[in-house]
Amino acid sequence: LMLLGDAEAAQVLNNLEPYEVQHLGRSMFNVADVSKEDVESVLSQFTKRARMRTTIGFGSASRIRAVMQHALGVDRADTVLARITPPTRSQTLDAL
């Protein structure tokens, strides 16, 4: 949260329970004196690891389907996906 602007951080806090805000606030004070170099190092490591694990930009449709099926079961996931899956690029071009 300390890397976000005030308005963005406030939006996050507005979605938390009071005890969560208190816990998070305490944690924010605990990291308030971390050096800029340490922050940059941690963010760099996070970004590197996220890139290794993410499907954003490639294969995301199959990842979304797998997560939905795991969470909802195949039948319910297929129903939800039928409602929310955007048309493929070729379908969009065909419509034009």
Side-chain angles (χ1 to χ4, degrees):
L1 282 178
M2 295 182 66
L3 297 174
L4 300 176
D6 290 351
E8 295 163 321
Q11 282 181 313
V12 172
L13 291 176
N14 283 334
N15 290 297
L16 301 176
E17 297 295 326
Y19 75 92
E20 294 171 317
V21 172
Q22 185 176 1
H23 183 75
L24 189 55
R26 196 174 308 123
S27 296
M28 290 168 70
F29 274 109
N30 288 337
V31 298
D33 60 349
V34 174
S35 72
K36 180 180 176 181
E37 292 78 19
D38 286 343
V39 171
E40 289 174 358
S41 174
V42 169
L43 288 175
S44 177
Q45 289 175 36
F46 172 79
T47 303
K48 181 180 176 183
R49 290 179 183 174
R51 283 187 186 133
M52 292 175 6
R53 291 182 172 94
T54 189
T55 57
I56 295 174
F58 59 93
S60 56
S62 61
R63 171 80 171 127
I64 294 167
R65 177 173 296 284
V67 170
M68 292 277 194
Q69 288 177 344
H70 185 76
L72 306 173
V74 174
D75 292 338
R76 283 185 55 208
D78 287 346
T79 301
V80 170
L81 289 166
R83 292 185 201 141
I84 66 170
T85 303
T88 63
R89 186 180 202 132
S90 63
Q91 290 173 332
T92 305
L93 291 175
D94 288 344
L96 289 175

Coordinates of all heavy atoms in Angstrom, one line a residue:
L1 N 0.8 -1.2 0.0 CA 0.0 0.0 0.0 C 0.9 1.3 0.0 O 0.4 2.3 -0.5 CB -0.9 0.0 1.2 CG -2.1 -0.8 1.2 CD1 -2.9 -0.7 2.5 CD2 -3.0 -0.5 0.0
M2 N 2.0 1.1 0.6 CA 2.9 2.3 0.6 C 3.5 2.7 -0.7 O 4.0 3.8 -0.9 CB 4.0 2.1 1.7 CG 3.4 2.0 3.1 SD 4.5 1.8 4.4 CE 5.4 3.3 4.4
L3 N 3.3 1.8 -1.7 CA 3.8 2.1 -3.0 C 2.7 2.7 -3.9 O 2.9 3.2 -5.0 CB 4.3 0.8 -3.7 CG 5.5 0.2 -3.1 CD1 5.8 -1.1 -3.8 CD2 6.7 1.1 -3.1
L4 N 1.5 2.8 -3.4 CA 0.3 3.3 -4.1 C 0.2 4.8 -3.7 O 0.6 5.2 -2.6 CB -0.9 2.6 -3.7 CG -1.0 1.1 -4.0 CD1 -2.3 0.5 -3.5 CD2 -0.8 0.8 -5.5
G5 N -0.6 5.5 -4.5 CA -1.0 6.9 -4.1 C -2.0 6.8 -3.0 O -2.6 5.8 -2.7
D6 N -2.2 8.0 -2.4 CA -3.2 8.0 -1.3 C -4.6 7.5 -1.6 O -5.2 6.8 -0.9 CB -3.3 9.5 -0.7 CG -2.0 9.9 0.0 OD1 -1.1 9.0 0.2 OD2 -1.9 11.1 0.3
A7 N -5.1 8.0 -2.8 CA -6.4 7.6 -3.2 C -6.5 6.1 -3.5 O -7.5 5.5 -3.1 CB -6.9 8.4 -4.4
E8 N -5.5 5.6 -4.1 CA -5.5 4.1 -4.4 C -5.4 3.3 -3.1 O -6.2 2.3 -3.0 CB -4.4 3.8 -5.3 CG -4.5 4.4 -6.7 CD -3.2 4.4 -7.5 OE1 -2.1 4.6 -6.8 OE2 -3.2 4.1 -8.7
A9 N -4.6 3.7 -2.2 CA -4.4 3.0 -1.0 C -5.7 3.1 -0.2 O -6.1 2.1 0.5 CB -3.3 3.6 -0.2
A10 N -6.4 4.2 -0.2 CA -7.6 4.4 0.5 C -8.7 3.5 0.0 O -9.5 2.9 0.7 CB -8.1 5.9 0.5
Q11 N -8.7 3.3 -1.4 CA -9.7 2.4 -2.0 C -9.5 0.9 -1.4 O -10.5 0.2 -1.2 CB -9.6 2.4 -3.5 CG -10.2 3.6 -4.1 CD -10.1 3.5 -5.6 OE1 -9.0 3.2 -6.2 NE2 -11.2 3.8 -6.3
V12 N -8.3 0.5 -1.3 CA -8.0 -0.8 -0.8 C -8.5 -0.9 0.7 O -9.2 -1.8 1.0 CB -6.5 -1.1 -0.9 CG1 -6.2 -2.4 -0.2 CG2 -6.0 -1.2 -2.4
L13 N -8.1 0.1 1.5 CA -8.5 0.1 2.9 C -10.0 0.1 3.1 O -10.5 -0.5 4.0 CB -7.8 1.2 3.6 CG -6.3 1.2 3.8 CD1 -5.8 2.5 4.4 CD2 -5.9 0.0 4.6
N14 N -10.7 0.8 2.2 CA -12.2 0.8 2.3 C -12.8 -0.5 2.1 O -14.0 -0.7 2.5 CB -12.7 1.8 1.3 CG -12.5 3.2 1.7 OD1 -12.4 3.6 2.9 ND2 -12.5 4.1 0.7
N15 N -12.1 -1.5 1.5 CA -12.7 -2.8 1.3 C -12.3 -3.8 2.4 O -12.6 -5.0 2.3 CB -12.2 -3.3 -0.1 CG -12.9 -2.6 -1.2 OD1 -14.1 -2.6 -1.3 ND2 -12.1 -1.9 -2.0
L16 N -11.6 -3.3 3.4 CA -11.2 -4.2 4.5 C -12.0 -4.1 5.7 O -12.6 -3.0 6.0 CB -9.7 -4.0 4.8 CG -8.7 -4.1 3.6 CD1 -7.3 -3.7 4.1 CD2 -8.7 -5.5 3.1
E17 N -12.0 -5.1 6.6 CA -12.6 -5.0 7.9 C -11.7 -4.2 8.8 O -10.5 -4.1 8.6 CB -12.8 -6.4 8.4 CG -13.7 -7.3 7.6 CD -15.1 -6.9 7.6 OE1 -15.6 -6.3 8.6 OE2 -15.8 -7.0 6.6
P18 N -12.3 -3.6 9.8 CA -11.5 -2.8 10.7 C -10.3 -3.5 11.3 O -9.2 -2.9 11.4 CB -12.5 -2.4 11.8 CG -13.8 -2.4 11.2 CD -13.7 -3.5 10.2
Y19 N -10.4 -4.7 11.7 CA -9.2 -5.4 12.2 C -8.2 -5.6 11.2 O -7.0 -5.6 11.5 CB -9.6 -6.8 12.9 CG -10.0 -7.9 11.9 CD1 -9.0 -8.7 11.5 CD2 -11.2 -8.0 11.4 CE1 -9.3 -9.8 10.6 CE2 -11.5 -9.0 10.5 CZ -10.6 -9.9 10.1 OH -10.8 -10.9 9.2
E20 N -8.6 -5.8 9.9 CA -7.6 -5.9 8.8 C -6.9 -4.6 8.6 O -5.7 -4.6 8.3 CB -8.3 -6.4 7.5 CG -8.9 -7.8 7.6 CD -9.8 -8.1 6.4 OE1 -10.6 -7.3 6.0 OE2 -9.6 -9.2 5.9
V21 N -7.6 -3.5 8.7 CA -7.0 -2.2 8.5 C -6.0 -1.9 9.6 O -4.9 -1.5 9.4 CB -8.1 -1.0 8.5 CG1 -7.4 0.3 8.6 CG2 -9.0 -1.2 7.3
Q22 N -6.3 -2.3 10.8 CA -5.4 -2.1 12.0 C -4.2 -3.0 11.8 O -3.0 -2.5 12.0 CB -6.1 -2.5 13.3 CG -5.3 -2.3 14.5 CD -6.1 -2.6 15.8 OE1 -7.3 -3.0 15.7 NE2 -5.5 -2.4 16.9
H23 N -4.3 -4.2 11.4 CA -3.2 -5.1 11.2 C -2.3 -4.6 10.0 O -1.1 -4.6 10.2 CB -3.7 -6.6 10.9 CG -2.6 -7.6 10.7 ND1 -1.9 -8.1 11.8 CD2 -2.1 -8.1 9.6 CE1 -1.0 -8.9 11.3 NE2 -1.1 -9.0 10.0
L24 N -2.9 -4.2 9.0 CA -2.2 -3.7 7.8 C -1.5 -2.4 8.2 O -0.3 -2.2 7.8 CB -3.1 -3.5 6.6 CG -2.5 -3.1 5.3 CD1 -1.4 -4.2 4.9 CD2 -3.5 -3.0 4.2
G25 N -2.1 -1.5 8.9 CA -1.5 -0.3 9.4 C -0.3 -0.5 10.2 O 0.8 0.1 10.1
R26 N -0.4 -1.5 11.1 CA 0.8 -1.9 12.0 C 1.9 -2.4 11.1 O 3.1 -2.0 11.3 CB 0.3 -3.0 12.9 CG 1.3 -3.2 14.1 CD 0.8 -4.1 15.1 NE -0.6 -3.8 15.6 CZ -1.6 -4.7 15.5 NH1 -1.5 -5.9 15.0 NH2 -2.8 -4.3 16.0
S27 N 1.6 -3.2 10.1 CA 2.6 -3.7 9.2 C 3.3 -2.6 8.4 O 4.5 -2.7 8.1 CB 2.0 -4.8 8.3 OG 1.5 -5.9 9.0
M28 N 2.5 -1.6 8.0 CA 3.0 -0.5 7.2 C 4.1 0.2 8.1 O 5.1 0.6 7.5 CB 1.9 0.4 6.8 CG 1.0 -0.2 5.7 SD -0.5 0.7 5.4 CE 0.1 2.2 4.6
F29 N 3.8 0.4 9.3 CA 4.8 1.1 10.2 C 6.0 0.2 10.3 O 7.1 0.8 10.4 CB 4.2 1.3 11.6 CG 3.4 2.6 11.7 CD1 2.1 2.7 11.8 CD2 4.1 3.9 11.6 CE1 1.4 3.9 11.9 CE2 3.4 5.1 11.7 CZ 2.1 5.1 11.9
N30 N 5.9 -1.1 10.3 CA 7.0 -2.0 10.4 C 8.0 -1.9 9.2 O 9.2 -2.2 9.4 CB 6.6 -3.4 10.7 CG 6.0 -3.7 12.0 OD1 6.3 -2.9 13.0 ND2 5.1 -4.7 12.1
V31 N 7.5 -1.5 8.1 CA 8.3 -1.5 6.9 C 8.6 0.0 6.5 O 9.2 0.2 5.4 CB 7.7 -2.3 5.7 CG1 7.6 -3.7 6.0 CG2 6.4 -1.7 5.3
A32 N 8.2 0.9 7.3 CA 8.4 2.3 6.9 C 9.8 2.8 6.7 O 10.1 3.7 5.9 CB 7.7 3.2 8.0
D33 N 10.7 2.1 7.4 CA 12.1 2.6 7.2 C 13.0 1.6 6.3 O 14.2 1.7 6.4 CB 12.8 2.7 8.6 CG 12.8 1.4 9.4 OD1 12.1 0.4 9.0 OD2 13.4 1.3 10.4
V34 N 12.3 0.8 5.5 CA 13.0 0.0 4.6 C 13.7 0.8 3.5 O 13.1 1.8 3.0 CB 12.1 -1.1 3.9 CG1 12.8 -1.9 2.9 CG2 11.5 -2.0 5.0
S35 N 14.9 0.5 3.2 CA 15.6 1.3 2.2 C 15.0 1.2 0.8 O 14.4 0.2 0.4 CB 17.1 0.9 2.1 OG 17.3 -0.3 1.5
K36 N 15.3 2.2 0.0 CA 14.8 2.3 -1.4 C 15.4 1.1 -2.2 O 14.8 0.5 -3.0 CB 15.2 3.6 -2.0 CG 14.8 3.7 -3.5 CD 15.2 5.1 -4.0 CE 14.9 5.2 -5.5 NZ 15.3 6.5 -6.1
E37 N 16.7 0.8 -1.9 CA 17.3 -0.3 -2.6 C 16.7 -1.6 -2.3 O 16.5 -2.5 -3.2 CB 18.8 -0.4 -2.2 CG 19.7 0.8 -2.7 CD 19.5 2.1 -1.9 OE1 19.0 2.0 -0.7 OE2 19.8 3.2 -2.5
D38 N 16.3 -1.8 -1.0 CA 15.6 -3.1 -0.6 C 14.3 -3.2 -1.3 O 13.9 -4.3 -1.8 CB 15.5 -3.2 0.9 CG 16.8 -3.5 1.6 OD1 17.7 -3.9 1.0 OD2 16.8 -3.3 2.8
V39 N 13.6 -2.1 -1.4 CA 12.2 -2.1 -2.0 C 12.4 -2.5 -3.5 O 11.7 -3.3 -4.0 CB 11.5 -0.7 -1.9 CG1 10.3 -0.7 -2.7 CG2 11.2 -0.5 -0.4
E40 N 13.4 -1.8 -4.1 CA 13.6 -2.1 -5.6 C 14.0 -3.6 -5.8 O 13.6 -4.2 -6.8 CB 14.6 -1.1 -6.1 CG 14.1 0.3 -6.2 CD 15.1 1.3 -6.7 OE1 16.3 0.9 -6.8 OE2 14.8 2.5 -6.8
S41 N 14.8 -4.1 -4.9 CA 15.2 -5.5 -5.0 C 14.1 -6.4 -4.9 O 13.9 -7.4 -5.7 CB 16.3 -5.8 -4.0 OG 16.6 -7.2 -4.0
V42 N 13.2 -6.2 -3.9 CA 12.1 -7.1 -3.7 C 11.1 -7.0 -4.8 O 10.6 -8.0 -5.3 CB 11.4 -6.7 -2.3 CG1 10.0 -7.4 -2.2 CG2 12.3 -7.1 -1.2
L43 N 10.9 -5.8 -5.3 CA 9.9 -5.6 -6.5 C 10.5 -6.3 -7.7 O 9.8 -6.9 -8.5 CB 9.7 -4.1 -6.7 CG 8.8 -3.4 -5.7 CD1 8.7 -1.9 -6.0 CD2 7.4 -4.0 -5.7
S44 N 11.8 -6.2 -7.9 CA 12.4 -6.9 -9.0 C 12.3 -8.4 -8.9 O 11.9 -9.1 -9.9 CB 13.9 -6.5 -9.1 OG 14.6 -7.2 -10.1
Q45 N 12.5 -8.9 -7.8 CA 12.3 -10.4 -7.5 C 10.9 -10.8 -7.8 O 10.6 -11.8 -8.4 CB 12.8 -10.8 -6.1 CG 14.3 -10.7 -5.9 CD 14.6 -11.0 -4.4 OE1 14.0 -11.8 -3.8 NE2 15.6 -10.3 -3.9
F46 N 10.0 -10.0 -7.3 CA 8.6 -10.3 -7.4 C 8.2 -10.3 -8.9 O 7.5 -11.2 -9.4 CB 7.7 -9.3 -6.7 CG 6.2 -9.4 -7.0 CD1 5.5 -10.4 -6.3 CD2 5.6 -8.6 -7.9 CE1 4.1 -10.5 -6.6 CE2 4.3 -8.7 -8.2 CZ 3.5 -9.7 -7.5
T47 N 8.6 -9.3 -9.6 CA 8.3 -9.2 -11.0 C 8.9 -10.4 -11.8 O 8.2 -11.0 -12.7 CB 8.8 -7.9 -11.6 OG1 8.3 -6.8 -10.9 CG2 8.5 -7.7 -13.1
K48 N 10.1 -10.7 -11.5 CA 10.7 -11.9 -12.2 C 10.0 -13.2 -11.9 O 9.7 -13.9 -12.8 CB 12.2 -12.0 -11.7 CG 12.9 -13.1 -12.3 CD 14.4 -13.2 -11.8 CE 15.1 -14.4 -12.3 NZ 16.5 -14.5 -11.8
R49 N 9.6 -13.4 -10.7 CA 8.8 -14.6 -10.3 C 7.4 -14.6 -10.9 O 6.9 -15.6 -11.4 CB 8.8 -14.8 -8.8 CG 10.1 -15.1 -8.2 CD 10.1 -15.3 -6.7 NE 11.4 -15.5 -6.2 CZ 11.7 -15.6 -4.9 NH1 10.7 -15.5 -4.0 NH2 12.9 -15.9 -4.5
A50 N 6.8 -13.4 -10.9 CA 5.5 -13.3 -11.5 C 5.5 -13.6 -13.0 O 4.6 -14.3 -13.5 CB 4.9 -11.9 -11.2
R51 N 6.5 -13.2 -13.7 CA 6.6 -13.4 -15.1 C 6.8 -14.9 -15.4 O 6.3 -15.4 -16.4 CB 7.8 -12.7 -15.7 CG 7.5 -11.2 -15.9 CD 8.7 -10.6 -16.7 NE 8.4 -9.1 -16.7 CZ 9.4 -8.2 -16.5 NH1 10.6 -8.6 -16.1 NH2 9.1 -7.0 -16.6
M52 N 7.5 -15.6 -14.5 CA 7.7 -17.1 -14.7 C 6.4 -17.8 -14.5 O 6.2 -18.9 -15.0 CB 8.8 -17.6 -13.7 CG 10.1 -17.0 -14.1 SD 11.5 -17.5 -12.9 CE 10.9 -18.6 -11.8
R53 N 5.5 -17.3 -13.7 CA 4.2 -18.0 -13.3 C 3.0 -17.6 -14.0 O 2.0 -18.2 -14.0 CB 4.0 -17.9 -11.8 CG 5.1 -18.7 -11.0 CD 4.8 -18.6 -9.5 NE 5.7 -19.4 -8.8 CZ 6.8 -19.0 -8.2 NH1 7.2 -17.8 -8.4 NH2 7.6 -19.8 -7.5
T54 N 3.0 -16.4 -14.6 CA 1.8 -15.8 -15.2 C 1.4 -16.4 -16.5 O 2.2 -16.9 -17.3 CB 1.9 -14.3 -15.3 OG1 0.6 -13.8 -15.6 CG2 2.9 -13.9 -16.4
T55 N 0.1 -16.4 -16.8 CA -0.4 -16.7 -18.1 C -1.0 -15.5 -18.8 O -1.6 -15.6 -19.8 CB -1.5 -17.8 -18.0 OG1 -2.6 -17.3 -17.1 CG2 -1.0 -19.1 -17.4
I56 N -0.8 -14.3 -18.1 CA -1.4 -13.1 -18.7 C -0.6 -12.8 -20.0 O 0.6 -12.8 -20.1 CB -1.2 -11.9 -17.8 CG1 -2.1 -12.1 -16.5 CG2 -1.5 -10.6 -18.5 CD1 -1.9 -11.1 -15.5
G57 N -1.4 -12.7 -21.1 CA -0.8 -12.4 -22.4 C -0.6 -13.6 -23.2 O -0.5 -13.6 -24.4
F58 N -0.7 -14.8 -22.6 CA -0.6 -16.0 -23.4 C -1.2 -17.2 -22.6 O -1.0 -17.3 -21.4 CB 0.9 -16.4 -23.8 CG 1.8 -16.6 -22.6 CD1 2.0 -17.8 -22.0 CD2 2.4 -15.5 -22.0 CE1 2.8 -18.0 -20.9 CE2 3.2 -15.6 -20.9 CZ 3.4 -16.9 -20.3
G59 N -2.1 -17.9 -23.2 CA -2.7 -19.1 -22.6 C -3.6 -18.7 -21.4 O -3.9 -19.6 -20.6
S60 N -4.1 -17.5 -21.4 CA -4.9 -17.1 -20.2 C -6.3 -17.7 -20.3 O -6.8 -18.0 -19.2 CB -5.0 -15.6 -20.2 OG -5.5 -15.0 -21.4
A61 N -6.8 -18.0 -21.5 CA -8.1 -18.6 -21.5 C -8.2 -20.0 -20.9 O -9.1 -20.3 -20.2 CB -8.6 -18.6 -23.0
S62 N -7.2 -20.7 -21.2 CA -7.1 -22.1 -20.6 C -6.9 -22.0 -19.1 O -7.4 -22.9 -18.4 CB -6.1 -22.9 -21.3 OG -4.8 -22.4 -21.2
R63 N -6.1 -21.1 -18.7 CA -5.9 -20.9 -17.2 C -7.1 -20.5 -16.5 O -7.5 -21.1 -15.5 CB -4.8 -19.9 -17.0 CG -4.5 -19.5 -15.6 CD -3.7 -20.5 -14.9 NE -3.4 -19.9 -13.6 CZ -3.6 -20.5 -12.4 NH1 -4.1 -21.7 -12.4 NH2 -3.3 -20.0 -11.3
I64 N -7.9 -19.6 -17.1 CA -9.1 -19.1 -16.5 C -10.1 -20.3 -16.4 O -10.8 -20.5 -15.4 CB -9.7 -17.9 -17.3 CG1 -8.8 -16.7 -17.1 CG2 -11.1 -17.6 -16.8 CD1 -9.1 -15.6 -18.1
R65 N -10.2 -21.1 -17.5 CA -11.1 -22.2 -17.6 C -10.7 -23.2 -16.5 O -11.6 -23.7 -15.7 CB -11.1 -22.9 -18.9 CG -11.9 -24.1 -19.0 CD -12.0 -24.7 -20.4 NE -12.6 -23.8 -21.3 CZ -14.0 -23.6 -21.4 NH1 -14.8 -24.2 -20.6 NH2 -14.5 -22.7 -22.3
A66 N -9.5 -23.5 -16.3 CA -9.0 -24.5 -15.3 C -9.3 -24.0 -13.9 O -9.8 -24.8 -13.1 CB -7.5 -24.7 -15.5
V67 N -9.1 -22.8 -13.6 CA -9.4 -22.2 -12.3 C -10.9 -22.3 -12.0 O -11.3 -22.7 -10.9 CB -8.9 -20.8 -12.2 CG1 -9.4 -20.1 -10.9 CG2 -7.3 -20.8 -12.2
M68 N -11.7 -21.9 -13.0 CA -13.1 -21.9 -12.8 C -13.6 -23.3 -12.6 O -14.5 -23.6 -11.8 CB -13.8 -21.3 -14.1 CG -13.6 -19.8 -14.2 SD -14.8 -18.9 -13.2 CE -14.6 -17.3 -13.8
Q69 N -13.2 -24.2 -13.4 CA -13.6 -25.6 -13.3 C -13.2 -26.2 -11.9 O -14.0 -26.9 -11.3 CB -13.0 -26.5 -14.4 CG -13.7 -26.2 -15.7 CD -13.1 -27.0 -16.9 OE1 -12.0 -27.5 -16.8 NE2 -13.8 -27.0 -18.0
H70 N -12.0 -25.8 -11.5 CA -11.6 -26.3 -10.2 C -12.4 -25.7 -9.0 O -12.8 -26.4 -8.1 CB -10.1 -25.9 -9.9 CG -9.5 -26.5 -8.7 ND1 -9.2 -27.8 -8.6 CD2 -9.2 -25.9 -7.5 CE1 -8.7 -28.0 -7.3 NE2 -8.7 -26.9 -6.7
A71 N -12.8 -24.5 -9.2 CA -13.6 -23.8 -8.1 C -15.1 -24.2 -8.2 O -15.7 -24.3 -7.1 CB -13.4 -22.3 -8.2
L72 N -15.6 -24.3 -9.4 CA -17.1 -24.4 -9.5 C -17.5 -25.8 -10.0 O -18.7 -26.1 -10.0 CB -17.6 -23.4 -10.5 CG -17.2 -21.9 -10.2 CD1 -17.6 -21.1 -11.4 CD2 -17.8 -21.5 -8.9
G73 N -16.6 -26.6 -10.5 CA -17.0 -27.9 -11.1 C -17.2 -27.6 -12.6 O -17.4 -26.4 -13.0
V74 N -17.1 -28.6 -13.4 CA -17.1 -28.5 -14.9 C -18.4 -27.8 -15.4 O -18.4 -26.9 -16.2 CB -16.9 -29.8 -15.6 CG1 -17.0 -29.7 -17.1 CG2 -15.5 -30.3 -15.2
D75 N -19.6 -28.3 -15.0 CA -20.8 -27.8 -15.5 C -21.1 -26.4 -15.2 O -21.4 -25.6 -16.0 CB -22.0 -28.7 -15.0 CG -22.0 -30.1 -15.6 OD1 -21.3 -30.3 -16.6 OD2 -22.6 -31.0 -14.9
R76 N -20.9 -26.0 -13.9 CA -21.1 -24.6 -13.5 C -20.1 -23.7 -14.1 O -20.4 -22.6 -14.6 CB -21.1 -24.5 -12.0 CG -22.3 -25.0 -11.3 CD -22.4 -24.7 -9.8 NE -22.2 -23.3 -9.5 CZ -21.6 -22.9 -8.3 NH1 -21.3 -23.8 -7.4 NH2 -21.5 -21.7 -8.0
A77 N -18.9 -24.2 -14.2 CA -17.8 -23.3 -14.9 C -18.2 -23.1 -16.3 O -18.0 -22.0 -16.8 CB -16.5 -24.0 -14.7
D78 N -18.6 -24.1 -17.0 CA -19.0 -23.9 -18.4 C -20.1 -22.9 -18.6 O -20.1 -22.1 -19.5 CB -19.3 -25.3 -19.1 CG -18.1 -26.2 -19.3 OD1 -17.0 -25.7 -19.2 OD2 -18.3 -27.4 -19.5
T79 N -21.1 -23.0 -17.7 CA -22.2 -22.0 -17.7 C -21.7 -20.6 -17.5 O -22.1 -19.7 -18.3 CB -23.2 -22.4 -16.6 OG1 -23.7 -23.7 -16.9 CG2 -24.4 -21.4 -16.7
V80 N -20.8 -20.4 -16.5 CA -20.3 -19.1 -16.3 C -19.4 -18.6 -17.4 O -19.6 -17.5 -17.9 CB -19.5 -19.1 -14.9 CG1 -18.7 -17.7 -14.8 CG2 -20.4 -19.3 -13.8
L81 N -18.6 -19.5 -17.9 CA -17.7 -19.1 -19.0 C -18.4 -18.8 -20.3 O -18.0 -17.9 -21.0 CB -16.7 -20.2 -19.2 CG -15.6 -20.4 -18.1 CD1 -14.9 -21.7 -18.3 CD2 -14.6 -19.2 -18.2
A82 N -19.5 -19.4 -20.5 CA -20.4 -19.1 -21.7 C -20.9 -17.7 -21.6 O -21.0 -17.1 -22.7 CB -21.5 -20.1 -21.8
R83 N -21.1 -17.2 -20.4 CA -21.6 -15.8 -20.3 C -20.5 -14.8 -20.3 O -20.8 -13.6 -20.7 CB -22.4 -15.7 -18.9 CG -23.6 -16.5 -18.9 CD -24.3 -16.2 -17.6 NE -25.2 -17.3 -17.3 CZ -25.5 -17.8 -16.1 NH1 -24.9 -17.3 -15.1 NH2 -26.3 -18.8 -16.0
I84 N -19.3 -15.1 -19.9 CA -18.3 -14.1 -19.7 C -17.2 -14.1 -20.7 O -16.4 -13.2 -20.9 CB -17.7 -14.1 -18.3 CG1 -16.9 -15.4 -18.1 CG2 -18.8 -13.9 -17.3 CD1 -16.1 -15.4 -16.8
T85 N -17.0 -15.2 -21.5 CA -15.9 -15.3 -22.4 C -16.1 -14.4 -23.6 O -17.2 -14.5 -24.3 CB -15.8 -16.8 -22.9 OG1 -15.6 -17.6 -21.8 CG2 -14.6 -16.9 -23.8
P86 N -15.2 -13.5 -23.9 CA -15.3 -12.6 -25.0 C -15.2 -13.4 -26.3 O -14.5 -14.5 -26.3 CB -14.2 -11.6 -24.8 CG -13.2 -12.3 -24.0 CD -14.0 -13.2 -23.1
P87 N -15.7 -12.9 -27.4 CA -15.5 -13.6 -28.7 C -14.1 -13.6 -29.1 O -13.3 -12.7 -28.7 CB -16.4 -12.7 -29.7 CG -16.6 -11.4 -29.0 CD -16.5 -11.7 -27.5
T88 N -13.7 -14.6 -29.8 CA -12.3 -14.6 -30.2 C -12.0 -13.6 -31.3 O -13.0 -13.1 -31.9 CB -11.9 -16.0 -30.8 OG1 -12.7 -16.2 -32.0 CG2 -12.1 -17.1 -29.8
R89 N -10.8 -13.3 -31.6 CA -10.5 -12.3 -32.6 C -11.1 -12.6 -33.9 O -11.6 -11.8 -34.6 CB -8.9 -12.2 -32.6 CG -8.5 -11.0 -33.5 CD -7.0 -11.0 -33.5 NE -6.6 -9.6 -33.9 CZ -5.7 -8.9 -33.3 NH1 -5.1 -9.3 -32.3 NH2 -5.4 -7.7 -33.7
S90 N -11.0 -13.9 -34.3 CA -11.5 -14.3 -35.6 C -13.0 -14.1 -35.7 O -13.6 -13.7 -36.7 CB -11.2 -15.7 -36.0 OG -11.7 -16.6 -35.0
Q91 N -13.7 -14.3 -34.6 CA -15.2 -14.1 -34.5 C -15.5 -12.6 -34.6 O -16.4 -12.2 -35.3 CB -15.8 -14.7 -33.3 CG -15.8 -16.2 -33.2 CD -16.3 -16.7 -31.8 OE1 -16.1 -16.0 -30.8 NE2 -16.8 -17.9 -31.8
T92 N -14.7 -11.8 -34.0 CA -14.9 -10.4 -34.1 C -14.7 -9.9 -35.5 O -15.4 -9.0 -36.0 CB -13.9 -9.6 -33.1 OG1 -14.1 -10.2 -31.8 CG2 -14.2 -8.2 -33.1
L93 N -13.6 -10.4 -36.1 CA -13.4 -10.0 -37.5 C -14.5 -10.4 -38.5 O -14.8 -9.7 -39.4 CB -12.0 -10.5 -38.0 CG -10.8 -9.8 -37.3 CD1 -9.5 -10.5 -37.7 CD2 -10.7 -8.3 -37.6
D94 N -15.0 -11.7 -38.2 CA -16.0 -12.2 -39.1 C -17.3 -11.3 -38.9 O -18.0 -11.0 -39.9 CB -16.4 -13.6 -38.7 CG -15.3 -14.6 -39.1 OD1 -14.5 -14.3 -39.9 OD2 -15.3 -15.7 -38.5
A95 N -17.6 -10.8 -37.7 CA -18.7 -10.0 -37.5 C -18.6 -8.7 -38.3 O -19.6 -8.1 -38.8 CB -18.9 -9.7 -36.0
L96 N -17.4 -8.2 -38.3 CA -17.2 -6.9 -39.1 C -17.4 -7.1 -40.6 O -17.9 -6.3 -41.3 CB -15.8 -6.4 -38.8 CG -15.5 -5.8 -37.4 CD1 -14.1 -5.4 -37.3 CD2 -16.4 -4.6 -37.2

